[in-house]
Amino acid sequence: MAKITYVHPDGTSSVVDVEPGNSIMRGAKLAGVEGILAQCGGGATCGTCHIYVDRDNTTPLPAMHDLEDGLLCVTASPRQDNSRLSCQIPVTEELDGLVVHLPEKQL
Amino acid sequence: MTDSPVVIVGAGQAGCQAAVSLRELGHRGTITLVGDEGVLPYQRPPLTKAYLQGDIGVADLVFRPETYYAQHDISLVLDDPAVSVDRAARQVVLRSGRVLDYENLVLATGSRPRPIPGAHTIRTIGDADFARPRGRVVAIGAGFIGLEHAAVASEAECDVTVVEAQTRALSRVLSEHTAEHVVQVHRRRGVKFLFNATVSEVRPGEVVLADGTVLPADLVVAGIGVVPNVELAQEAGLTVDDGIVVDARLRTSDPAIFAIGDCARFPHGTRQIRLESVQNAVDQASCVAAVIRGSAEPYAQVPWFWSDQYAMKVQIAGLTDGHDNVVVTGDPTTGAFSVFCFRGDELLGVESVNKPVDHVLARRLLAANCPIRPEMVAVPGFDLRTAA
């Protein structure tokens, strides 16, 4: 299990034990954490599972591919340097303790 | 504000979302979600994609774990289907004889595949398990279901033939331009197509066509459309017309009863339509939850659809049926392009292949009713971003 903290726009947070193999998006959905829509079910096609990731150079995140990069340019809340689509980040043991921030809106 | 008991019949995408949305909107009355598959509510789209391929399992399909429903006080009845509705008493009767009282009833009964005797159809997890690609595969119907299955079968090294009664593939859902591209991608993978071909009989080990052709088959899958499940509504005396007829707030002819998702026929512009899609199920579920909570907002969402085949993502924003001209942007030879479908000067919708950004922007344009004319799109270098 990896502990992922989802911080809501109002500052409250939900801490979820996510089973490795699930994406950060799926971890939120399974736990009923609101604020991630994932309308397409997780295929980097809709841009509604946008998150901001607390990270530094050592955070082992997968590289971003073109589709994700493109969609992050048209998300409902503005893109920042640490923007990602949560469906594109599989949870691993190495991500235990990761903190992600949910945007104001996904649509 | 009402906090009355709500019964939701149908535990698919629409029914499950209605229960979740009601709680998210603060509904405190009882919520009972009645299904008939004996399993937790789950996503159906992967049944002809990642699940069929074996990339994901049942645990990956369920929307929420059982604990979610308990924590949110949503009663799940998963293997005791509703058999009748007593509108006068406001009660739903289940097969076991159990009776559920309601103040508001939501019918999310979905649809079922049109059957072809001898052929597999795919709607449930069990259906998909029986339709795992093997050997020589014949797909009857070149719609999304048939072609998604064909893509998985082809990637599993099966010998795949698609039989279609119409003159072309995807005639109900895609422009000729986009459909032709999809067919070419399949052909390059070795999938064979027979158009204008009707099936006269499916026998063990073979499919017989009307012209006498016999296609040997180890697996026959039919994807020739669905029939809405309206029987419960019909027997309860609600107005039904290829779907349970509802008004702009998704109310049936009985104001205490709503219908959403595949089974509902609802007003859209000047016509009444019925849609079979995740978007429609989810958005109508959110709308019905809001209406039950006292909202007067009518249902008015831009329809959208998607299909994944091979590495190809096809996405449709809007309803493109009835278009009479198209403008293509992007480069079809690279496999990434969008087709803008117009009727006269009016943009009806946009089909995107491996162009998710176009799709997202198109949905926004359509929702905002932005006037986009064909000549604007046809200008070289047209950028949806500036239009949106």
Side-chain angles (χ1 to χ4, degrees):
Chain A
M1 287 291 182
K3 227 176 253 312
I4 305 292
T5 300
Y6 300 84
V7 183
H8 300 274
D10 67 3
T12 60
S13 55
S14 310
V15 182
V16 180
D17 284 320
V18 182
E19 194 163 334
N22 284 314
S23 65
I24 289 182
M25 176 278 283
R26 178 97 179 129
K29 296 293 267 188
L30 283 173
V33 175
E34 291 175 35
I36 288 181
L37 287 183
Q39 289 181 324
C40 75
T45 50
C46 74
T48 63
C49 65
H50 180 200
I51 53 168
Y52 305 110
V53 183
D54 267 1
R55 56 153 169 72
D56 58 33
N57 291 335
T58 63
T59 311
L61 296 177
M64 190 185 297
H65 58 69
D66 291 351
L67 289 180
E68 181 182 354
D69 196 16
L71 281 167
L72 284 170
C73 298
V74 294
T75 48
S77 284
R79 180 178 190 163
Q80 297 173 8
D81 285 347
N82 60 344
S83 282
R84 291 296 303 254
L85 294 183
S86 55
C87 72
Q88 297 302 300
I89 306 178
V91 170
T92 59
E93 299 285 358
E94 291 74 52
L95 287 180
D96 184 42
L98 188 74
V99 176
V100 304
H101 296 263
L102 305 174
E104 287 285 341
K105 51 185 182 171
Q106 295 284 8
L107 264 187
Chain B
M1 192 61 71
T2 49
D3 275 322
S4 51
V6 176
V7 173
I8 302 165
V9 176
Q13 184 105 40
C16 179
Q17 182 66 48
V20 170
S21 291
L22 275 166
R23 284 290 180 247
E24 284 179 359
L25 292 176
H27 185 82
R28 290 157 71 155
T30 61
I31 300 175
T32 310
L33 184 56
V34 182
D36 60 1
E37 291 188 52
V39 291
L40 288 172
Y42 63 92
Q43 324 171 51
R44 297 192 197 280
L47 295 181
T48 46
K49 306 179 185 87
Y51 180 80
L52 190 67
Q53 203 142 20
D55 291 346
I56 63 172
V58 172
D60 302 302
L61 294 177
V62 301
F63 292 118
R64 317 259 174 169
E66 199 155 11
T67 49
Y68 172 89
Y69 300 95
Q71 281 162 6
H72 292 79
D73 197 20
I74 296 168
S75 304
L76 289 177
V77 179
L78 297 177
D79 48 8
D80 194 5
V83 292
S84 65
V85 177
D86 181 341
R87 289 166 51 195
R90 293 201 175 181
Q91 288 178 328
V92 175
V93 181
L94 307 185
R95 189 169 56 195
S96 66
R98 185 175 164 195
V99 171
L100 302 172
D101 293 312
Y102 68 82
E103 282 297 311
N104 286 118
L105 171 62
V106 178
L107 298 175
T109 48
S111 59
R112 57 184 181 270
R114 283 180 198 283
I116 291 183
H120 290 284
T121 52
I122 304 178
R123 176 155 187 87
T124 65
I125 289 172
D127 292 341
D129 290 337
F130 278 113
R132 300 268 183 201
R134 51 189 176 267
R136 293 157 303 181
V137 175
V138 173
I140 304 173
F144 280 147
I145 297 291
L147 292 184
E148 286 173 8
H149 191 283
V152 172
S154 160
E155 295 208 306
E157 312 278 312
C158 295
D159 175 54
V160 186
T161 305
V162 179
V163 178
E164 169 57 53
Q166 302 294 316
T167 54
R168 70 170 179 91
L170 299 157
S171 58
R172 210 166 62 90
V173 286
L174 281 184
S175 69
E176 204 163 346
H177 191 94
T178 309
E180 182 55 26
H181 175 82
V182 171
V183 166
Q184 289 308 330
V185 169
H186 277 273
R187 283 196 167 127
R188 282 201 292 275
R189 304 289 188 126
V191 175
K192 297 179 280 287
F193 285 85
L194 298 173
F195 292 110
N196 293 308
T198 48
V199 171
S200 62
E201 195 183 0
V202 178
R203 295 184 193 144
E206 61 190 26
V207 175
V208 185
L209 303 184
D211 68 0
T213 307
V214 175
L215 303 170
D218 300 297
L219 174 68
V220 183
V221 174
I224 55 165
V226 297
V227 184
N229 294 324
V230 299
E231 289 74 8
L232 197 65
Q234 198 154 33
E235 282 158 23
L238 301 175
T239 305
V240 163
D241 173 18
D242 179 37
I244 304 166
V245 176
V246 296
D247 68 13
R249 287 167 193 83
L250 310 175
R251 275 199 167 86
T252 67
S253 49
D254 179 335
I257 306 179
F258 300 82
I260 58 172
D262 284 17
C263 70
R265 176 165 294 275
F266 62 97
H268 181 82
T270 56
R271 52 186 181 151
Q272 294 271 326
I273 61 171
R274 196 174 62 70
L275 294 177
E276 301 139 13
S277 72
V278 167
Q279 171 275 323
N280 190 59
V282 170
D283 287 344
Q284 290 194 339
S286 307
C287 177
V288 89
V291 170
I292 289 173
R293 296 291 297 157
S295 161
E297 281 296 305
Y299 179 72
Q301 298 292 331
V302 175
W304 54 268
F305 313 85
W306 85 92
S307 175
D308 294 337
Q309 297 166 38
Y310 311 105
M312 178 169 58
K313 291 175 193 296
V314 181
Q315 295 174 285
I316 304 146
L319 296 179
T320 58
D321 62 304
H323 67 270
D324 53 24
N325 65 99
V326 301
V327 180
V328 181
T329 64
D331 183 358
T333 61
T334 65
F337 63 95
S338 288
V339 176
F340 289 68
C341 300
F342 295 90
R343 183 173 50 215
D345 276 347
E346 182 197 357
L347 180 65
L348 299 181
V350 179
E351 301 165 348
S352 301
V353 178
N354 290 342
K355 279 276 191 189
V357 171
D358 282 4
H359 174 73
V360 169
L361 294 173
R363 277 165 53 186
R364 262 178 227 165
L365 284 176
L366 291 164
N369 261 320
C370 290
I372 300 286
R373 293 188 312 280
E375 61 271 21
M376 296 162 66
V377 181
V379 171
F382 168 75
D383 188 348
L384 258 176
R385 250 171 264 193
T386 51

